[in-house]
């Protein structure tokens, strides 16, 4: 029987970092909170088997739940596609295009699996093997997805004039 | 200087560090509620059939109209509601109740509507980007439904709010045919220990925004005004491919736009599930032993996926399919209303 007290303690003390990971995947704090809670609830049912360090397991559930969300039309039902882009490119003279902000936006345009690889490799600092284990794919897939993600970023139209890509500032 | 690992690390660390204040104790309580809900669902294993049933189109009476909306003689897919902030047709549904308000006039609004089904979509949009510290919370019948920001990320990625999934029934939020109230309120996060859904209406200083919100009632695929086909479709190969062990694939590029295909396999204790991906609008019916188990609908020309629930022997039996672990089964998909060979399906073992 899983220990409810241990689980609650984990949620209270360890979930904040996982929330950040969820945010980097969803780009939205509310969705991140929902994603995290969904992953935690799923984890509870395996809690008794997780041993001393449940965090990698919860993270694994989190990234794979994120992929499931996508498949459940989180991306498909977009009420804004034909509306004017609210971003400030040129329309707001007071705005400054921030290169890091552009990179952040470009990250959000990556396919979900590539986003997950980038977040796990560059935020969580997981090795290729750990990333592969979390995403339930081979290390070869992690390598290729990382490579594709970086290639996409370099080809992203908003980043082709990006100082990071063109000699810095 | 090319894009470096350090650039990526810096951007990710910077964004993650901007976390709003979150209440971990409240999170634990919320997770507990979800756990109890999942337990109830497992007991009620016939819920899959209910989900399908709830998506059958029924009428809805929108009681609120924004007088500033005009349905000029423009193509249906371009019509807007809620002061032009939201499309009239969205995600397979038609806006049946909607409103908009300006934050310099008010910070919350409530409207009533009569849901025709539980498969509703709620969408919200602001006319410009809100800072991530300011969020919009939605309550249905006095209970928190969801909250999120109108920040740039949501505006460009959407949906501002996802579909109101059938589990709203489990929370007792909506009942078809029974009047419901929907309250939208601006809240400020990161200033206290309370989670956004418990935050009071924010009364402090903020920029002036117009916020639009709409409730969409599901429509039949045959009635939905799809947007016109773009000149070039997205790649069909970018979609997901994860899940349990792959059993077989069915691809419209070989079976045709409105084609069908089957995969034969032995049912294991993990069951079977469907992973679909489409870059065009249309519908795909999923079958086991020639009986419909689920229908996925795609409403735009943007790539989107659909993953079915894992269908184990028990669920299949509840759907009237007399099978047991070890039986040979025929798993199939049939597409309709696709104008292009722009979908693919994977049949996988349940994960």
């Amino acid at each position: 029987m899983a220990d409810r007290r241990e689980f609650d303690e984990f949620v209270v003390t360890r979930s904040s970092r996982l929330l950040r990971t969820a945010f980097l995947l969803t780009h939205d704090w509310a969705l991140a909170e929902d994603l995290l809670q969904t992953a935690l609830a799923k984890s509870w049912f395996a809690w008794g088997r997780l041993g001393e360090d449940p965090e990698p397991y919860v993270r694994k559930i989190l990234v794979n739940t994120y992929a499931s969300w996508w498949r459940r039309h989180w991306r498909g039902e977009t009420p804004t596609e034909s509306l004017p882009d609210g971003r400030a490119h040129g329309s707001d003279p007071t705005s400054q295009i921030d290169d890091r902000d552009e990179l952040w936006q470009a990250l959000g345009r990556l396919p979900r699996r590539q986003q997950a690889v980038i977040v796990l490799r560059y935020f969580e600092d997981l090795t290729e093997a750990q990333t592969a284990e979390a995403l339930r794919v081979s290390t070869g897939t992690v390598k290729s997805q990382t490579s594709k993600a970086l290639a996409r970023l370099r080809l992203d139209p908003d980043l082709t004039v990006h100082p990071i890509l063109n000699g810095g500032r | 200087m090319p894009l470096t690992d350090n650039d990526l690390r810096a951007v990710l660390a910077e964004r993650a560090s901007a976390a709003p204040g979150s209440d971990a104790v409240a999170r634990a309580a919320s997770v507990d509620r979800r756990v109890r809900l999942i337990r109830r669902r497992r007991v009620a294993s016939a819920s899959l059939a209910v989900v399908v049933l709830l998506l059958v189109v029924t009428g809805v009476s929108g009681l609120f109209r924004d007088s500033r909306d005009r349905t000029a003689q423009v193509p249906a897919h371009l019509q807007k509601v809620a002061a032009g902030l939201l499309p009239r047709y969205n995600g397979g549904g038609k806006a049946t109740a909607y409103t908009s308000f300006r934050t310099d006039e008010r910070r919350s609004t409530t409207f009533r509507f009569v849901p025709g089904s539980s498969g509703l979509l709620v969408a919200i949009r602001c006319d410009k980007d809100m800072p991530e510290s300011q969020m919009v919370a939605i309550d249905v019948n006095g209970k928190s439904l969801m909250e999120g920001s109108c920040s740039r990320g949501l505006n460009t990625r959407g949906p501002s709010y996802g579909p109101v999934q059938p589990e709203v029934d489990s929370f007792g939020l909506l009942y078809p045919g029974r009047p419901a109230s929907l309250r939208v309120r601006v809240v400020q996060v990161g200033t206290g220990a309370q989670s956004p859904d418990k935050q009071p209406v924010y009364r402090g200083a903020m920029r002036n925004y117009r916020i639009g919100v709409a409730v969409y009632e599901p429509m039949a695929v045959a009635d939905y005004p799809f947007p016109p086909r773009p000149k070039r479709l997205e790649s069909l190969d970018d979609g997901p491919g994860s899940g349990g062990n792959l059993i077989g694939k069915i691809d419209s590029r070989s079976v045709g736009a409105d084609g069908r295909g089957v995969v034969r396999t032995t049912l294991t204790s993990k069951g079977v599930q469907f992973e679909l991906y489409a870059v065009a609008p249309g519908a795909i019916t999923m079958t086991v032993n020639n009986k419909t188990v689920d229908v996925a609908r795609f409403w735009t020309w943007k790539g989107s996926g659909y993953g079915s629930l894992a269908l184990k022997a028990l669920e299949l039996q509840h759907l009237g399919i007399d099978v047991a672990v070890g039986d040979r089964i025929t798993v199939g998909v049939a597409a309709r209303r696709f104008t292009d060979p722009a979908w693919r399906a994977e049949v996988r073992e349940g994960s």
Side-chain angles (χ1 to χ4, degrees), chain B residues 282-348:
Chain B
I284 298 175
T285 299
M286 292 156 266
T287 61
V288 173
N289 288 357
N290 290 321
K291 287 201 172 180
T292 298
V293 295
D294 202 353
V295 179
R297 297 171 178 84
F298 300 91
W299 307 104
T300 74
W301 297 94
K302 289 186 177 298
S304 63
Y306 184 89
S308 77
L309 300 175
L311 298 163
K312 299 181 181 179
L314 187 61
E315 281 88 19
L316 292 169
Q317 289 163 16
H318 278 294
L319 291 167
I321 305 166
D322 186 20
V323 291
V325 171
D327 287 355
R328 292 290 290 174
I329 57 173
T330 301
V331 185
V333 296
R336 57 194 163 89
R337 281 212 77 192
F338 280 94
T339 56
D340 293 78
W343 59 268
R344 61 183 175 83
E346 293 178 356
V347 178
R348 290 180 172 269

Side-chain angles (χ1 to χ4, degrees), chain A residues 103 149-150 153-154 159 162 164-165, chain B residues 1-5 7-8:
Chain A
L103 179 53
L150 295 177
L153 289 175
R154 293 190 179 104
L159 291 179
H162 191 288
I164 285 178
L165 300 179
Chain B
M1 181 178 68
L3 176 66
T4 67
D5 290 1
D7 294 327
L8 281 172

Side-chain angles (χ1 to χ4, degrees), chain A residues 15 20 28 30 33-34 37-38 44 71-74 77 79-80 83-84 100-101 105 108 125 164, chain B residues 1 7 9 14-15 27 30 34 39 80 85 87 147 152 154-155 157 159 242 275 297 305-307:
Chain A
S15 61
R20 293 188 176 96
D28 176 78
E33 181 72 46
D34 192 20
Q37 290 186 18
T38 302
W44 161 249
R71 292 196 294 273
R72 289 218 165 271
H73 282 202
W74 280 90
E77 290 160 342
T80 60
L83 296 172
R100 282 192 173 172
D101 196 55
Q105 297 297 327
D125 276 331
I164 285 178
Chain B
M1 181 178 68
D7 294 327
R9 289 183 204 284
E14 179 184 279
R15 293 287 169 164
R27 180 179 300 134
S30 182
R34 287 172 187 241
R39 282 190 177 131
K80 301 290 191 294
L85 287 169
E147 64 278 337
R152 176 179 305 177
L154 278 177
N155 282 346
R157 287 160 58 86
S242 60
E275 299 291 336
R297 297 171 178 84
Y306 184 89

Side-chain angles (χ1 to χ4, degrees), chain A residues 1 4 7-8 11-13 15-16 19-21 23-31 33-38 40-42 44-45 64 66-68 70-88 92 98-105 107-113 115 118-119 121-123 125 135-136 150 152-154 163-168, chain B residues 1-5 7-20 22 24-25 27-28 30-32 34-35 38-39 42 77-78 80 84-87 90-91 121 123-125 127 129 132 135 147-149 151-163 165 216 227 234 238-243 275 277 297-300 302-309 351:
Chain A
M1 183 67 184
R4 183 79 217 185
F7 178 76
D8 286 345
V11 174
V12 170
T13 61
S15 61
S16 294
L19 178 66
R20 293 188 176 96
T21 302
F23 170 71
L24 294 178
L25 293 169
T26 61
H27 286 217
D28 176 78
W29 288 110
L31 288 180
E33 181 72 46
D34 192 20
L35 172 61
L36 173 60
Q37 290 186 18
T38 302
L40 287 168
K42 287 182 178 178
W44 161 249
F45 292 96
N64 286 290
Y66 174 62
S68 300
W70 184 36
R71 292 196 294 273
R72 289 218 165 271
H73 282 202
W74 280 90
R75 186 178 167 197
E77 290 160 342
T78 306
T80 60
E81 62 181 331
S82 59
L83 296 172
D85 191 340
R87 297 173 64 182
D92 180 356
D98 181 329
D99 55 349
R100 282 192 173 172
D101 196 55
E102 297 287 6
L103 179 53
W104 170 245
Q105 297 297 327
L107 283 166
R109 289 190 287 271
L110 290 176
R112 296 295 170 108
R113 198 153 35 154
Q115 278 188 52
I118 292 293
V119 169
R121 294 282 287 120
Y122 294 100
F123 178 69
D125 276 331
L135 291 170
R136 297 187 291 207
L150 295 177
R152 272 188 182 240
L153 289 175
R154 293 190 179 104
I164 285 178
L165 300 179
N166 292 281
Chain B
M1 181 178 68
L3 176 66
T4 67
D5 290 1
D7 294 327
L8 281 172
R9 289 183 204 284
V11 167
L12 294 173
E14 179 184 279
R15 293 287 169 164
S17 67
S22 63
V25 174
R27 180 179 300 134
S30 182
V31 171
D32 182 56
R34 287 172 187 241
V35 167
I38 292 170
R39 282 190 177 131
R42 287 182 176 184
H77 71 277
L78 295 178
K80 301 290 191 294
L85 287 169
L86 290 161
N90 172 36
L121 170 77
I124 188 164
R125 188 169 193 244
D127 61 349
D129 300 335
E132 286 172 352
M135 302 179 90
E147 64 278 337
S149 72
S151 66
R152 176 179 305 177
L154 278 177
N155 282 346
T156 54
R157 287 160 58 86
S160 299
Y161 288 100
Q165 300 284 6
Y216 295 83
E234 292 182 13
D238 283 347
S242 60
E275 299 291 336
Y277 188 70
R297 297 171 178 84
F298 300 91
W299 307 104
T300 74
K302 289 186 177 298
S304 63
Y306 184 89
S308 77
L309 300 175
S351 57

